[in-house]
Amino acid sequence: MKTIIYTTNTGSAERYARLLSQETGLPACSLAEAKKKVPSGAEIIYLGWIMAGSVKGYADAAKRYQVRAVCAVGMGQTGTQTDEVRKKNRIPASIPLFTLQGNFDIKKLHGIYRPMMELMVRTAGKGLSKKDDRTPEEDDMLDMMLHGGQRVRVENLRSALGWYRAQE
């Protein structure tokens, strides 16, 4: 692997990329920076944020680089939703996929994503708050929607780091 490349909206994917960089010694840069610095065809680990199941920037990165692993950062708990994310983004089974729970602060969202998430919080949050038999994961999601949350932690990278170290 040559580089960790990320796309971020509120900073969680960048924070994970920096943590992964510290743990592996690989340089990390945004996809926009990488297009200027990292040669096409280079082996990379890609980190992107999840919006409606889509890993932002992944398709672009996959066209340009040899993606060896994907870390998808979203509101769901670490290690969940991998089947849905893999299918929606057409990530081949041969590429490891790690889902990571990011931070959530609606005020940090940019562009159209802020009103979209405000609507999602109102509708999905209302439905979750009325649900009597919420799972612990649903309780966590509701808490993030209502109060925001800081969930970026190096421990969430445990599986990705285990995979990386096995490649060395």
Coordinates of all heavy atoms in Angstrom, one line a residue, residues 50 53 55 72 79-93 97-99:
I50 N -20.4 8.0 4.4 CA -21.6 7.3 3.8 C -22.7 8.3 3.8 O -23.0 9.0 4.8 CB -22.0 6.1 4.7 CG1 -20.9 5.1 4.7 CG2 -23.3 5.5 4.2 CD1 -21.1 3.9 5.7
G53 N -26.2 5.3 2.1 CA -25.6 4.1 1.7 C -24.5 4.2 0.7 O -23.7 3.2 0.4
V55 N -20.8 5.4 -0.5 CA -19.5 5.9 0.0 C -19.0 7.0 -0.9 O -18.6 6.7 -2.0 CB -18.5 4.7 0.2 CG1 -17.2 5.2 0.7 CG2 -19.1 3.6 1.0
A72 N -15.7 2.8 5.4 CA -16.8 3.6 5.1 C -17.3 4.2 6.5 O -17.6 3.4 7.4 CB -17.9 2.8 4.5
G79 N -18.7 -1.8 12.2 CA -18.9 -3.2 11.8 C -20.3 -3.6 11.4 O -20.6 -4.7 11.0
T80 N -21.2 -2.6 11.3 CA -22.6 -2.9 10.9 C -22.8 -2.4 9.4 O -22.0 -1.7 8.9 CB -23.6 -2.2 11.8 OG1 -23.5 -0.8 11.7 CG2 -23.4 -2.7 13.2
Q81 N -23.8 -2.8 8.8 CA -24.3 -2.4 7.5 C -23.3 -2.7 6.3 O -23.4 -2.1 5.3 CB -24.6 -0.9 7.5 CG -25.6 -0.5 8.5 CD -25.7 1.0 8.7 OE1 -24.7 1.7 8.5 NE2 -26.8 1.5 9.1
T82 N -22.4 -3.7 6.6 CA -21.4 -3.9 5.5 C -22.0 -4.5 4.3 O -21.6 -4.2 3.1 CB -20.3 -4.9 6.0 OG1 -20.9 -6.0 6.6 CG2 -19.4 -4.2 7.1
D83 N -23.0 -5.4 4.4 CA -23.6 -6.0 3.2 C -24.3 -5.0 2.3 O -24.1 -4.9 1.1 CB -24.6 -7.1 3.6 CG -24.0 -8.3 4.2 OD1 -22.7 -8.5 4.0 OD2 -24.6 -9.1 4.9
E84 N -25.0 -4.1 3.0 CA -25.7 -3.0 2.2 C -24.8 -2.0 1.6 O -24.9 -1.7 0.4 CB -26.7 -2.2 3.2 CG -27.7 -3.0 3.9 CD -27.3 -3.6 5.2 OE1 -26.1 -3.8 5.5 OE2 -28.2 -3.8 6.0
V85 N -23.7 -1.7 2.3 CA -22.7 -0.7 1.7 C -22.0 -1.4 0.6 O -21.8 -0.7 -0.5 CB -21.8 -0.2 2.8 CG1 -20.6 0.6 2.2 CG2 -22.5 0.6 3.9
R86 N -21.6 -2.6 0.7 CA -20.9 -3.3 -0.3 C -21.7 -3.4 -1.6 O -21.3 -3.1 -2.7 CB -20.5 -4.7 0.1 CG -19.7 -5.5 -0.9 CD -19.2 -6.9 -0.4 NE -18.3 -6.8 0.7 CZ -17.0 -6.5 0.7 NH1 -16.5 -6.2 -0.5 NH2 -16.3 -6.5 1.8
K87 N -23.0 -3.8 -1.4 CA -23.9 -3.9 -2.6 C -24.1 -2.6 -3.3 O -24.0 -2.5 -4.5 CB -25.2 -4.6 -2.1 CG -26.2 -4.9 -3.2 CD -27.4 -5.6 -2.7 CE -28.4 -5.8 -3.8 NZ -29.6 -6.5 -3.3
K88 N -24.5 -1.6 -2.5 CA -24.9 -0.3 -3.1 C -23.7 0.3 -3.8 O -23.9 1.0 -4.9 CB -25.3 0.7 -2.0 CG -25.6 2.1 -2.5 CD -26.9 2.6 -2.1 CE -27.2 3.9 -2.8 NZ -28.3 4.6 -2.3
N89 N -22.5 0.1 -3.4 CA -21.3 0.7 -4.0 C -20.5 -0.2 -4.9 O -19.5 0.2 -5.4 CB -20.3 1.2 -2.9 CG -21.0 2.3 -2.1 OD1 -21.0 3.5 -2.5 ND2 -21.6 2.0 -1.0
R90 N -21.1 -1.4 -5.1 CA -20.4 -2.4 -5.9 C -19.0 -2.6 -5.6 O -18.1 -2.7 -6.4 CB -20.6 -2.0 -7.4 CG -22.0 -2.0 -7.9 CD -22.1 -1.7 -9.4 NE -23.5 -1.7 -9.8 CZ -24.1 -0.6 -10.2 NH1 -23.5 0.6 -10.2 NH2 -25.4 -0.6 -10.5
I91 N -18.7 -2.8 -4.3 CA -17.4 -3.0 -3.8 C -17.2 -4.5 -3.9 O -17.9 -5.3 -3.3 CB -17.2 -2.6 -2.3 CG1 -17.4 -1.1 -2.2 CG2 -15.8 -3.0 -1.8 CD1 -17.4 -0.6 -0.8
P92 N -16.2 -5.0 -4.7 CA -16.0 -6.4 -4.9 C -15.7 -7.1 -3.6 O -15.1 -6.6 -2.7 CB -14.7 -6.5 -5.8 CG -14.6 -5.1 -6.5 CD -15.2 -4.2 -5.5
A93 N -16.1 -8.4 -3.6 CA -15.9 -9.2 -2.4 C -14.5 -9.4 -2.0 O -14.1 -9.6 -0.9 CB -16.6 -10.6 -2.6
L97 N -14.0 -4.5 3.4 CA -14.8 -3.3 3.7 C -15.0 -3.2 5.2 O -15.4 -4.2 5.8 CB -16.2 -3.4 3.0 CG -17.2 -2.4 3.5 CD1 -16.8 -1.0 3.1 CD2 -18.6 -2.7 2.9
F98 N -14.6 -2.1 5.8 CA -14.8 -1.8 7.2 C -15.7 -0.6 7.4 O -15.4 0.4 6.8 CB -13.4 -1.6 7.8 CG -12.4 -2.6 7.5 CD1 -11.5 -2.5 6.5 CD2 -12.4 -3.8 8.3 CE1 -10.6 -3.5 6.2 CE2 -11.4 -4.8 8.0 CZ -10.5 -4.6 6.9
T99 N -16.8 -0.8 8.1 CA -17.6 0.3 8.4 C -17.3 0.9 9.8 O -17.0 0.1 10.7 CB -19.1 -0.1 8.4 OG1 -19.4 -1.1 9.3 CG2 -19.6 -0.4 7.0

